[in-house]
């Protein structure tokens, strides 16, 4: 039963990405809103969601402003450095901190401090704890467990 949830969410996100690609071809911008996975009980009530319907993704669409179109885009890592073929490559994984240090122009020590601050902001924050709590509640509701 839980496998059905993960499969359905993957299908929904694939469909959302197809909508993003189609919109972009028409000059329409998009933005995924990850907050839909927070406050599950609120969203369930607001959207009147039955047991086997969960919010997998939320997208906003609109026409980008000139400022958004003209802003410099951050550089991307080389595909060959981050794509793993036929298995997970530990050599590439172990080189990622070096790539990040070069990208951010930080020393190893500065990078480690930056990563600790980023981790505190991203994963050790109230936002992250609520998202994890909410996703667990979503899963319990899907499985028919009492709240």
């Amino acid at each position: 039963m839980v496998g059905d949830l993960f499969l359905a969410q993957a299908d929904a996100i694939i469909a959302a990405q197809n909508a993003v690609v189609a919109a972009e071809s028409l000059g329409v911008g998009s933005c995924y809103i990850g907050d839909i996975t927070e406050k599950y009980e609120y969203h369930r009530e607001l959207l009147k969601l039955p047991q086997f319907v969960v919010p997998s993704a939320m997208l906003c669409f609109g026409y980008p402003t000139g400022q958004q179109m003209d802003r410099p885009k951050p550089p991307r890592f080389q595909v060959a450095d981050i794509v793993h073929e036929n298995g997970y490559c530990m050599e590439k994984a172990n080189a990622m901190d070096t790539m990040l240090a070069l990208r951010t122009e930080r020393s190893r020590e500065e990078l480690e401090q930056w990563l600790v601050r980023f981790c505190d902001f991203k994963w050790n924050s109230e936002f992250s704890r609520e998202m994890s709590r909410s996703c667990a509640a979503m899963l319990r509701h899907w499985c028919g467990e009492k709240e």
Side-chain angles (χ1 to χ4, degrees):
M1 203 154 130
V2 174
D4 291 329
L5 170 61
F6 289 120
L7 185 59
Q9 286 189 313
D11 287 345
I13 292 168
I14 290 167
Q17 185 60 28
N18 284 337
V20 165
V21 171
E24 187 174 337
S25 75
L26 299 171
V28 176
S30 61
C31 180
Y32 284 93
I33 308 298
D35 295 1
I36 194 64
T37 59
E38 291 180 66
K39 299 180 175 78
Y40 171 65
E41 299 85 354
Y42 171 77
H43 291 118
R44 187 178 76 206
E45 184 178 321
L46 176 71
L47 301 171
K48 298 174 180 51
L49 303 176
Q51 180 181 1
F52 298 115
V53 177
V54 298
S56 297
M58 181 169 46
L59 281 169
C60 295
F61 291 96
Y63 291 98
T65 65
Q67 179 185 7
Q68 291 167 321
M69 296 291 290
D70 295 338
R71 75 177 169 86
K73 306 299 186 269
R76 302 286 184 185
F77 290 112
Q78 296 295 314
V79 171
D81 292 334
I82 60 172
V83 172
H84 301 254
E85 293 183 49
N86 300 323
Y88 193 78
C89 177
M90 286 306 297
E91 186 176 320
K92 286 183 181 184
N94 292 333
M96 288 184 186
D97 60 340
T98 301
M99 289 188 304
L100 187 57
L102 291 170
R103 168 69 53 81
T104 60
E105 298 179 345
R106 290 181 167 92
S107 69
R108 289 272 192 191
E109 183 176 296
E110 291 171 324
L111 179 62
E112 187 171 321
Q113 292 170 358
W114 181 82
L115 288 170
V116 167
R117 286 192 307 274
F118 181 83
C119 182
D120 285 343
F121 167 76
K122 184 71 176 168
W123 291 288
N124 299 332
S125 65
E126 184 62 33
F127 157 81
S128 183
R129 285 190 291 279
E130 166 53 23
M131 186 170 50
S132 293
R133 184 214 60 80
S134 183
C135 288
M138 186 185 306
L139 188 56
R140 284 192 304 276
H141 185 245
W142 176 273
C143 292
E145 297 176 15
K146 299 276 185 197
E147 295 178 28

